[in-house]
Amino acid sequence: MKNLLIVHGPNLNLLGEREPQIYGNDSLKTLNASIECFAEKMGLQVKSFQSNHEGALIDFIHEQRNWAEAIVINPGALTHYSYALRDSIAAVNLPSIEVHLSDVNQREEFRKISVIKDVCEKQISGLGKEGYLRAVEYLVGLDVLNKLQGSNPDSKGRDETLRMVVKLLKESFPKYSWVGIYLVEGAELVLHNYMGKPSPHTRIPIGQGICGAAVHEKKSIIVDDVNADPRYLACSIETRSEIVIPIMSGNKVFGEIDIDSDLEAIFHDSDQEILEKCAAVLAKLF
Ligand code: DQA
């Protein structure tokens, strides 16, 4: 996935002036610049568009349908009633995410209704500018997942698939400084493959470290600040945060995806959601 549309609906041209207590102080130009800069760092090309007219938004989506590979859309008030806009998203059949600056579920009743969200991968609401960035990341994550599923893991074989996932994740997410997969061997986790700086922890007893804890507890763990977590087994002084996702089927854990970042508090629900989907694909290989 390389080409992304950012689409803004009615009244979003007035961002910065319009009800700043709800929508913030950034202008649309500043917002677009932040999204574009973020997306470009993830290797994407972006086309941004805003209109106050339903038909113009639909025309833009149609015109760009062969260039675009995904859409992030804040439909503004059209969210709540535009079946035409909804149909245009369904028609072009591109993975799309509905974003709102404000939390539409905590405002007037009419804003709780979205006629758009069913044709989108998800709705992200109430995170301000950050919501758009999470949407971009989620779409990149879905692309990784599609590549993994499309690579025919069963015939490719386990080792090659495990290496492929690590490479795809490391190369798709600049914020992932270290990506590795550990496999359970007896009472230990053994490093299968990784990308990033060499780690001294090639064998970790289950139950030790954040890695060991995730396997022991059979659940994903996000640590925002590794230095504040007594379980953390230091491997690089630059590491600030970590996410660990068990590769499991039912109650049985086969291994885990372990990711470090040099940025603090950088892993979100959306990382966890995508990585758990990747882990579920990998679990089928065991
Ligand atoms: C909005 C929420 C909509 O209900 C409203 O009509 C907008 C902006 C948001 O970003 O919070 O125009 O989409």
Side-chain angles (χ1 to χ4, degrees):
M1 201 261 288
K2 285 271 166 277
N3 298 341
L4 178 66
L5 299 183
I6 306 289
V7 182
H8 308 276
N11 299 306
L12 292 164
N13 54 314
L14 291 189
L15 281 181
E17 303 176 27
R18 173 196 183 197
E19 301 173 274
Q21 71 285 5
I22 298 175
Y23 299 114
N25 294 311
D26 282 353
S27 66
L28 182 63
K29 198 167 167 222
T30 307
L31 174 66
N32 276 335
S34 309
I35 305 167
E36 282 162 22
C37 174
F38 183 81
E40 277 157 19
K41 281 192 192 137
M42 298 193 78
L44 308 179
Q45 278 186 285
V46 176
K47 286 187 188 173
S48 304
F49 181 74
Q50 186 277 332
S51 177
N52 293 328
H53 305 280
E54 185 183 38
L57 293 165
I58 295 169
D59 285 344
F60 177 74
I61 291 170
H62 288 183
E63 279 155 20
Q64 299 300 329
R65 71 185 186 281
N66 294 322
W67 177 84
E69 291 164 278
I71 303 175
V72 174
I73 182 163
N74 181 346
L78 293 171
T79 305
H80 315 303
Y81 64 91
S82 176
Y83 295 114
L85 186 59
R86 172 200 166 100
D87 282 355
S88 73
I89 296 168
V92 298
N93 197 24
L94 296 169
S96 303
I97 300 201
E98 177 190 323
V99 173
H100 300 283
L101 292 156
S102 66
D103 187 348
V104 285
N105 296 307
Q106 302 296 328
R107 297 180 62 195
E108 300 94 323
E109 281 302 305
F110 76 90
R111 292 188 206 276
K112 293 182 183 157
I113 296 164
S114 168
V115 301
I116 307 287
K117 76 173 181 209
D118 287 349
V119 293
C120 290
E121 301 297 330
K122 60 154 68 195
Q123 181 194 63
I124 300 176
S125 166
L127 299 179
K129 175 180 85 181
E130 180 69 20
Y132 290 87
L133 310 186
R134 300 257 181 109
V136 173
E137 284 194 328
Y138 193 81
L139 289 166
V140 169
L142 279 183
D143 190 50
V144 167
L145 186 66
N146 285 339
K147 284 183 178 141
L148 169 61
Q149 282 162 333
S151 74
N152 203 351
D154 289 333
S155 61
K156 199 181 211 71
R158 193 160 83 194
D159 286 331
E160 208 187 313
T161 305
L162 294 178
R163 274 192 287 276
M164 189 186 105
V165 171
V166 165
K167 188 165 186 290
L168 275 173
L169 289 169
K170 178 77 177 73
E171 288 175 352
S172 304
F173 289 92
K175 70 181 189 183
Y176 294 175
S177 321
W178 190 95
V179 181
I181 288 188
Y182 286 89
L183 297 184
V184 173
E185 276 185 28
E188 282 186 322
L189 283 162
V190 178
L191 186 56
H192 176 277
N193 87 99
Y194 69 92
M195 281 179 77
K197 289 192 185 147
S199 166
H201 304 295
T202 53
R203 300 183 89 90
I204 302 173
I206 291 174
Q208 258 189 39
I210 296 161
C211 278
V215 168
H216 183 66
E217 292 167 28
K218 301 186 188 215
K219 66 173 176 54
S220 302
I221 296 181
I222 292 179
V223 177
D224 286 340
D225 177 5
V226 289
N227 295 318
D229 193 313
R231 295 170 300 183
Y232 178 58
L233 300 173
C235 41
S236 151
I237 49 162
E238 279 107 31
T239 299
R240 289 283 168 276
S241 51
E242 181 169 5
I243 185 167
V244 187
I245 309 286
I247 300 169
M248 55 195 281
S249 172
N251 219 19
K252 184 146 176 58
V253 184
F254 307 107
E256 64 184 24
I257 304 171
D258 177 23
I259 303 180
D260 295 339
S261 177
D262 296 348
L263 303 166
E264 204 169 295
I266 204 68
F267 298 109
H268 313 293
D269 295 356
S270 43
D271 294 277
Q272 183 172 334
E273 219 177 296
I274 292 291
L275 292 167
E276 284 177 355
K277 288 183 204 283
C278 289
V281 176
L282 298 180
K284 293 202 188 101
L285 301 170
F286 290 85

